Amino acid sequence: KRSVMLHMYLVLAYLVLCVSLFYIFVFGGNECHANGLVGRIHHFISVDLWSLIVKTSTKVFGTKIVSFFQSAFEYVVYKPNPILQILYVTLVLGGFVLFVDTTFTELSLPYQISAHLTVLMTMITFLACCSSDPGVISSKTQRKYKDNYPYDSILYFQSKKCSTCNIAKLPRSKHCRVCDKCISRFDHHCPWINNCVGSNNLRYFIAFLFQTIFLCSYGTFLCCKILYDSVIVKNDFFTLMYDKRLSRHGSPYSVLFQLVYFYDPRLIFFIVFLSIISIALLVFGGYHIYQVMFNVTTNESFKWSDIKSHLKSKRQKMNQPSLSVSQQKEVLRNRTQVADNHNLDSCRFAHLDSIEESKLLNMYNRGVVQNFGEVIYPFAGRW
């Protein structure tokens, strides 16, 4: 009994920890968390912890082995390769096969059919993302994209040129260092689909993202339904809850967990794993919907964050009283650290000094309806 209860608490702790770490990892770098606990934990995980692991590993295993694993990590994440694509397909299809092998037959036929259709739709959206053109800009396709967006003179300038592709750098475009191509309305490069997310395939990416959320959520629901029908209903658990003899074995909920645990521990694993993935992807999907609502890309959101940090630092400098020499050195050190972390430099934001802060607006935000319409029916498709 104690062992089962310990497992229950460990499962709950694991669920809370995973969700918390996901939030810290994804949103801990935002300006709102810069000086708080979440921001400090994010900096520790992304910078300090990684440096500590590298230093410790180098001392224990040697430079060659550590360099090998660093090169392998950089290849998987920053080079075009199908490794994470294969991993995704293995997780989805392998997990479904394991699920079918457990207690899938206890579901009624409509639920079995809907489960197969859900997996099929997930694979279709995945393949659509992997094979779709994100909006590659070249000398041949430049005409299709050049009039899609105007230059805002804040993030994008007409005089700039892509040194790699040797073509004009169009507004909202970016040269992807992984694909080695210029992408229209560049959002980010996703190693899971081994493709960039840009103007032409953002709709497919969002569909794929929410289809994966639905897959994990529906899988969680089916596992819970199997446990409900096979454990609670068959054992008439709601009647047993009022039986005084049950109290000798602990609280009703602890007894319920024991029944579920001994029925099939694999279903517990499915529920916990799928729940964590569902919550994590739901947060990530919500973030992308928020970006679509205000017509900003992931790449642009980082740029706007840097601009806000620059303006905040400038205001603090203007409103700062006279300081002693030691205080001035401390302020200078802190500013240098912030500049290093965010890759800021004075030349990069020199053009902002002549622009009023109230006029630093996202000119690409044309309203929620038109913003969503731009994603569903991209400008390049109307050309």
Side-chain angles (χ1 to χ4, degrees):
K1 173 185 169 183
R2 289 181 179 178
S3 176
V4 173
M5 290 303 298
L6 178 61
H7 285 154
M8 181 178 73
Y9 292 133
L10 287 175
V11 166
L12 293 175
Y14 178 71
L15 181 62
V16 173
L17 178 64
C18 288
V19 173
S20 302
L21 287 176
F22 178 82
Y23 179 85
I24 291 170
F25 184 76
V26 176
F27 300 104
N30 288 355
E31 187 183 3
C32 59
H33 294 305
N35 299 319
L37 178 63
V38 174
R40 287 195 291 270
I41 296 175
H42 176 269
H43 185 271
F44 173 76
I45 294 174
S46 58
V47 180
D48 298 336
L49 182 61
W50 180 253
S51 300
L52 180 62
I53 291 173
V54 172
K55 289 180 182 178
T56 306
S57 301
T58 303
K59 290 180 180 179
V60 175
F61 302 107
T63 307
K64 289 185 178 179
I65 295 178
V66 173
S67 298
F68 170 78
F69 281 104
Q70 284 182 320
S71 301
F73 175 80
E74 290 177 2
Y75 173 77
V76 171
V77 178
Y78 300 117
K79 298 292 182 182
N81 64 84
I83 293 176
L84 289 183
Q85 289 175 294
I86 296 170
L87 178 60
Y88 178 83
V89 173
T90 303
L91 286 172
V92 173
L93 298 184
F96 185 63
V97 169
L98 287 175
F99 179 59
V100 171
D101 188 53
T102 54
T103 50
F104 187 72
T105 53
E106 297 190 20
L107 292 170
S108 59
L109 184 60
Y111 285 112
Q112 293 183 10
I113 294 173
S114 62
H116 283 91
L117 290 176
T118 302
V119 174
L120 177 63
M121 285 301 301
T122 304
M123 287 293 101
I124 289 174
T125 55
F126 174 70
L127 291 174
C129 280
C130 296
S131 59
S132 59
D133 172 26
V136 177
I137 303 174
S138 63
S139 56
K140 294 180 179 179
T141 62
Q142 195 172 11
R143 289 181 58 199
K144 188 190 300 185
Y145 300 103
K146 70 175 183 177
D147 296 326
N148 289 354
Y149 302 102
Y151 292 95
D152 64 351
S153 298
I154 299 174
L155 303 180
Y156 306 101
F157 302 90
Q158 192 166 3
S159 59
K160 286 195 173 183
K161 191 175 183 179
C162 178
S163 58
T164 307
C165 298
N166 198 28
I167 57 175
K169 207 166 188 179
L170 300 182
R172 312 196 79 181
S173 68
K174 187 179 185 298
H175 186 89
C176 176
R177 63 172 180 170
V178 181
C179 296
D180 197 27
K181 298 173 183 175
C182 281
I183 307 297
S184 171
R185 199 186 184 276
F186 178 84
D187 191 274
H188 69 286
H189 181 89
C190 179
W192 290 99
I193 62 174
N194 194 25
N195 198 3
C196 282
V197 178
S199 60
N200 292 358
N201 68 344
L202 179 59
R203 50 185 170 173
Y204 301 136
F205 178 77
I206 292 177
F208 160 65
L209 187 58
F210 279 91
Q211 181 59 38
T212 305
I213 293 171
F214 179 75
L215 172 71
C216 296
S217 303
Y218 192 58
T220 305
F221 165 75
L222 291 180
C223 290
C224 290
K225 178 174 173 55
I226 291 172
L227 291 177
Y228 179 81
D229 293 339
S230 303
V231 177
I232 296 178
V233 175
K234 281 188 178 181
N235 292 283
D236 197 13
F237 184 76
F238 291 117
T239 303
L240 290 174
M241 284 182 64
Y242 299 98
D243 193 334
K244 294 182 178 179
R245 291 174 296 178
L246 191 65
S247 61
R248 291 179 297 179
H249 302 282
S251 67
Y253 299 106
S254 65
V255 174
L256 174 61
F257 187 83
Q258 292 176 54
L259 289 172
V260 169
Y261 182 83
F262 287 114
Y263 175 74
D264 196 333
R266 291 175 295 181
L267 285 177
I268 299 294
F269 168 78
F270 280 130
I271 291 172
V272 174
F273 178 76
L274 293 175
S275 298
I276 292 172
I277 299 299
S278 299
I279 295 171
L281 290 180
L282 190 61
V283 174
F284 188 60
Y287 176 65
H288 273 281
I289 293 297
Y290 171 82
Q291 288 184 323
V292 173
M293 286 177 61
F294 293 96
N295 207 330
V296 63
T297 65
T298 302
N299 177 53
E300 292 169 349
S301 67
F302 289 122
K303 292 184 177 182
W304 281 112
S305 178
D306 288 349
I307 289 175
K308 289 178 182 178
S309 298
H310 170 76
L311 295 175
K312 183 179 179 181
S313 177
K314 184 180 176 182
R315 284 195 301 267
Q316 289 175 347
K317 184 178 179 180
M318 292 175 62
N319 299 328
Q320 195 169 347
S322 58
L323 301 174
S324 64
V325 175
S326 60
Q327 288 176 324
Q328 289 177 11
K329 288 182 179 180
E330 180 65 20
V331 170
L332 182 62
R333 187 185 67 81
N334 290 336
R335 283 183 186 160
T336 304
Q337 184 179 3
V338 171
D340 290 338
N341 291 340
H342 295 280
N343 195 25
L344 304 179
D345 56 80
S346 57
C347 295
R348 182 181 172 191
F349 296 109
H351 65 284
L352 298 178
D353 296 334
S354 60
I355 304 175
E356 294 181 19
E357 192 171 334
S358 58
K359 294 182 180 179
L360 292 173
L361 301 174
N362 178 20
M363 69 177 299
Y364 306 116
N365 182 7
R366 301 180 300 145
V368 175
V369 175
Q370 291 191 59
N371 292 342
F372 273 96
E374 181 183 317
V375 172
I376 296 170
Y377 187 29
F379 289 134
R382 309 173 193 179
W383 187 79

